[in-house]
Amino acid sequence: MSGAVPAAPVVFDAQGLDALIAALADAGREVFGPVRRDGAVVYEEVASSADFPKGWIDEQSGGHYRLRQEGEAYFGATLGPQGWKRILHPPKQTLWRTEGTGEETKIIREPLDETRRAFIGARACDLAAIAAQDRVLIEGPYRDPHYAARRANLFIVAVNCTRSADTCFCTSMNTGPKATKGYDIALTELDGGRFLAEAASDEGLALLATLPTRPATTDDESAAEAGIDRARDQQRRIDTEGLPALLKERPDHPRWSEVAQRCLNCANCTMVCPTCFCTTVDEVTSLDGPETERVNSWASCFTVDFSHVHGGAVRPGAKSRYRQWMTHKLATWVDQFGEMGCVGCGRCISWCPVGIDITEEAAALRKEGG
Amino acid sequence: MHAPDPHTDPMVPVIARVTGRTRELSDVVTFEMEVEGWPGFAPGQFNMLSVFGVGEIPISISGPVSDTTRIIHTIRDVGPVSHALAALSPGAVLGLRGPYGAPWPVQAARGRDVVVIAGGLGLAPVRPILYELMENRDAYGKVTLLYGARSPAEILFEKELGDWRSRLDMGVEVTVDRATNAWHGHVGVVTALLRGADFTPANTTAFVCGPEIMMRFGADGLTDLGVAATDIHLSMERNMQCGIGLCGHCQLGPVFVCKDGPVFDWATMKPLMRIKEL
Ligand SMILES: Cc1cc2nc3c(=O)[nH]c(=O)nc-3n(C[C@H](O)[C@H](O)[C@H](O)COP(=O)(O)OP(=O)(O)OC[C@H]3O[C@@H](n4cnc5c(N)ncnc54)[C@H](O)[C@@H]3O)c2cc1C
Ligand code: SF4
Ligand code: SF4
Ligand code: FES
């Protein structure tokens, strides 16, 4: 995604969308995009534009997610529960296994997954989340080679949001609703199943050139901008000004205990969070042989085990575990990686079974506690 | 720093071979091991040790830096992996990744007085400091080791402590929490020994390792005597799944204990250790 010369935007219709999917598949890529499954939008392999949830939109609020039919848009439904991390940083990753025993033990590393993939429909907040995971898993002193391999073989078609869910706050987090980096092609859906497309990489540019398109008019461009502005206006806000310092200075604010009363410690928020990267290594022993396998799985700071050391957990209390999650997202991530670990996607709000809302909690923590 | 080659895999260990085993205490064993291509280490660094079929845990290196072939680890049997490690005998193979972590800044203390305070098994991670001090004794000012154990039966490296204690160029004091009839030494917390120790606070570097509560009292005691917070170093312990900044478990507020530490100065740790359950 380097050396990109921004080319003039073009417009294509549903046929162009199918041609885009076909071209990516012809280039040897597995193409993933939003599909409707079990009442939610998830990212799965798609064969054509018919797989997209055309004519469906989402309703989201604290502890609530529902799809309903409205309009004709392909990308009307915003974010489902799963981020793209399910593919790039999967819930389970074998690291290595042994062969032989005793003196003869050999360590066999798990081959890298070098599948060429394309994502269609990544939103601006999710691009920011992928960039955040890149910083942790690729750009640190040591890298996760499995993640790095999947990332290196990825082509991204972003979709700018022209509609936000009630739970979205990417504008406050400065990540959206318009994609500004981290993609090969960005689409903005216009009325009548048409798309305004812009390339940001050489590969994206070359690909667009093979599609049936026409140059975008200024009307197309202003329609796209108007859609994005509409999405921006539909959002909730979080005041991030001075928030990192404030959260770190208030580890004993009464609000932490108050939210701990409501929190079930179910870890849903960390599982649906597209930036949460934590993992635990487990030993898997086969029943029929001496071989063993080391498997890395998603972990959550909401569990007591997460902070286990000999003598007991560092964070036995629900208060300190909620505090770890929220302070990590909005404060200490800045110390660690130079920016916040929250991209404003709002998934943690919708998928919290008791509707705990990080934007509301942040606002409450701003008020002096008594 | 690893080259950005997607084919290097820092989570995959190399095979290590146990070449020696010494029982220290009823539940503590010291191992010598070897791996091909061992790059050497700095005092305070740790390895991730794997027992195949059981699991992997972080263990500090307790031997001298000058020994470039043998890797020395002192392990307390407290749970599944440390138990399986402690049971290994010479010839056994295990997995090893490392060395990792920010070391004790020992060489930076040359020309200064050095105070080492250790509690319990915390003597193992500071032992490489003591070897460096002994090997280059003239490079340092006054050297003090204060060590606390729960009981006389739990004093680690007892013979070596005796050797160090008989040296004229080093002050060594040992205390126990609970004495027996045969014990004629100090009784009480290790930090109480600070008052009798001979060092010039303004020109002292301190290395403190042990249970968190003991490190807090140690650092506070040193501060009260006038040692600068940036000259007091502690080694922190947190759950570690990766040791290299990828798994998130070792977070302590803004820092990752594995890659930013485990050794931190008191100026960094004091505000963090004050917060309960951080
Ligand atoms: C930087 C560092 C250096 C250390 N150096 C030494 C040393 O020199 N000698 C020594 O005896 N011990 C040392 N420890 C402590 C040692 O790592 C724990 O005692 C060990 O992990 C316990 O694992 P276990 O399976 O035996 O027992 P349990 O306490 O039952 O642990 C269960 C599981 O928790 C996980 N775990 C991960 N990190 C830790 C942790 N820090 N403490 C406890 N569990 C953990 C492991 O998967 C472990 O198997 C060190 C710890 C750290 C962080
Ligand atoms: S919030 Fe918790 S699970 Fe998520 S990245 Fe931070 S420590 Fe890990
Ligand atoms: S999803 Fe809600 S209830 Fe579950 S751990 Fe997160 S904040 Fe707590
Ligand atoms: S031990 Fe995994 S991040 Fe520190």
Side-chain angles (χ1 to χ4, degrees), chain A residues 303-355:
Chain A
T303 66
V304 177
D305 270 4
F306 186 87
S307 64
H308 166 89
V309 289
H310 177 62
V314 173
R315 293 180 213 103
K319 167 187 150 181
S320 57
R321 281 177 275 146
Y322 187 85
R323 191 181 64 194
Q324 166 61 23
W325 138 263
M326 188 167 145
T327 312
H328 192 208
K329 293 288 128 171
L330 297 173
T332 51
W333 204 295
V334 181
D335 299 291
Q336 296 167 352
F337 302 106
E339 60 186 4
M340 285 196 187
C342 172
V343 295
C345 73
R347 287 185 176 97
C348 59
I349 304 172
S350 307
W351 298 94
C352 173
V354 292

Side-chain angles (χ1 to χ4, degrees), chain A residues 262-270 302 322 325 348 351-356:
Chain A
R262 285 177 284 142
C263 174
L264 311 174
N265 285 285
C266 68
N268 269 13
C269 47
T270 49
F302 276 97
Y322 187 85
W325 138 263
C348 59
W351 298 94
C352 173
V354 292
I356 294 172

Side-chain angles (χ1 to χ4, degrees), chain A residues 95-96 98 102-103 105 107 109 112 114 136-137 140-146 251 277-281 283 285 292 294 299 305-310 314-317 320 323-324 328 332 335-337, chain B residues 1-2 4-15 17 50-56 78 91-93 99-100 237-239 241 244-249 251 253-256 259 275-278:
Chain A
L95 298 173
W96 49 273
T98 59
E103 300 258 326
T105 308
I107 297 171
R109 49 176 290 208
L112 301 179
E114 294 184 295
V136 181
L137 300 174
Y142 294 89
R143 58 163 50 192
D144 172 345
H146 299 284
F277 57 88
C278 291
T279 51
T280 292
V281 180
E283 186 83 25
T285 326
T292 67
R294 284 293 158 83
D305 270 4
F306 186 87
S307 64
H308 166 89
V309 289
H310 177 62
V314 173
R315 293 180 213 103
S320 57
R323 191 181 64 194
Q324 166 61 23
H328 192 208
T332 51
D335 299 291
Q336 296 167 352
F337 302 106
Chain B
M1 183 103 175
H2 276 217
D5 168 8
H7 293 272
T8 58
D9 194 334
M11 289 298 281
V12 179
V14 294
I15 297 272
R17 198 169 297 274
S50 266
V51 182
F52 304 123
V54 186
E56 182 178 54
V78 296
V93 297
Y100 296 134
E237 180 178 346
R238 281 296 179 270
N239 187 294
Q241 298 291 313
I244 52 176
L246 301 176
C247 79
H249 283 258
Q251 287 176 77
V255 300
F256 285 79
K259 65 171 180 171
I275 301 170
K276 213 172 145 247
E277 298 187 16
L278 187 61

Side-chain angles (χ1 to χ4, degrees), chain A residues 245-258:
Chain A
L246 187 138
L247 289 178
K248 286 188 286 182
E249 280 157 16
R250 298 183 175 173
D252 298 315
H253 194 289
R255 185 72 181 196
W256 296 121
S257 310
E258 198 275 326

